[in-house]
Amino acid sequence: MQAETFYHVYNHANGNENLFCSDENYHYFLRQWTKYISPVACTYTYCLMPNHFHFLIRIKTEEEVLAFLKMRKPTLQGFETLGGFTFDKAISLQFSHLFNSYTQAYNKVYERRGSLFIPNFKRKEINSDAYLSAIIGYIHRNPVHHGFCKQIEDWPHSSYHTLLSEKPTQIHREEVIEWFGSRKDLVNFHRHMPQIADKSLLIDFEC
């Protein structure tokens, strides 16, 4: 993953298992996301569903990521000092910490063993303005696509309601609203997502 680049990040539970079985599971995952991913990436939209999740993020600058790593490891002078520890590996390691910490807590609560997530989470670079708009709508519409609800606003575990609210949030809300123009424009965009999805940009994301 490259610095200052937008990515659509997503992953799925192993087999037919679920990642989230209670409201507390959803809330805990977001807390762990804040702990492990917020230091290295800005989050713009997300959606958590019982067996998979989607996020739109932008990787922070190399200076910001290195500052975070140095805070954790004061002796660190550069990625090279760790023997091949590249920028991409630094970001991937944070995701590994996220998945491992959540899995350990989940396994303890539900008395299970073994991995919970499919190995090697998926990431797709966002390489155009149209793609960026489309993926925001796709992420929020995903619960409707999978039959978890009938309307985008019915699903409680996404950033859609957060973007429309005034409550404090870790989501980069103002940037998303500015991207569409206003909250009203954001809502109108999502209402027309079925037509936008048919026009080509929303390919099969495997989730």
Side-chain angles (χ1 to χ4, degrees), residues 9-182:
V9 174
Y10 54 104
N11 205 355
H12 198 283
N14 270 324
N16 295 320
E17 293 201 68
N18 280 334
L19 299 175
F20 312 110
C21 298
S22 70
D23 285 345
E24 177 54 28
N25 292 160
Y26 289 102
H27 299 325
Y28 182 73
F29 184 86
L30 290 177
R31 291 197 297 270
Q32 295 304 95
W33 179 275
T34 298
K35 177 179 179 180
Y36 291 108
I37 306 305
S38 291
V40 299
C42 301
T43 301
Y44 292 86
T45 56
Y46 73 86
C47 189
L48 309 181
M49 286 154 286
N51 60 359
H52 69 291
F53 67 77
H54 294 268
F55 281 82
L56 171 64
I57 64 172
R58 179 178 57 80
I59 303 300
K60 293 186 176 181
T61 66
E62 290 194 16
E63 290 76 15
E64 289 174 303
V65 173
L66 184 55
F68 166 69
L69 293 178
K70 283 183 176 180
M71 182 177 66
R72 296 186 63 191
K73 297 179 181 294
T75 59
L76 179 63
Q77 298 301 314
F79 296 116
E80 296 79 11
T81 62
L82 295 183
F85 191 65
T86 64
F87 183 82
D88 182 69
K89 286 183 179 179
I91 304 301
S92 295
L93 186 60
Q94 290 303 113
F95 277 94
S96 178
H97 290 329
L98 165 68
F99 299 142
N100 288 337
S101 67
Y102 182 80
T103 298
Q104 290 173 9
Y106 186 94
N107 285 354
K108 183 176 181 180
V109 170
Y110 295 105
E111 299 182 341
R112 69 179 296 278
R113 301 175 67 179
S115 61
L116 180 62
F117 296 87
I118 291 176
N120 301 320
F121 70 96
K122 305 295 191 300
R123 77 290 299 271
K124 290 183 180 290
E125 182 177 338
I126 307 300
N127 53 21
S128 73
D129 289 351
Y131 194 2
L132 182 62
S133 296
I135 203 63
I136 291 172
Y138 173 85
I139 287 173
H140 289 143
R141 189 174 178 271
N142 210 241
V144 178
H145 172 70
H146 288 286
F148 293 125
C149 61
K150 292 184 177 181
Q151 303 291 334
I152 291 175
E153 55 267 28
D154 294 339
W155 191 249
H157 305 296
S158 82
S159 54
Y160 183 73
H161 292 290
T162 303
L163 292 174
L164 300 180
S165 78
E166 300 285 351
K167 296 179 180 179
T169 178
Q170 295 288 328
I171 299 294
H172 285 241
R173 176 169 54 207
E174 296 308 318
E175 292 181 51
V176 178
I177 293 172
E178 184 179 349
W179 178 258
F180 289 98
S182 68

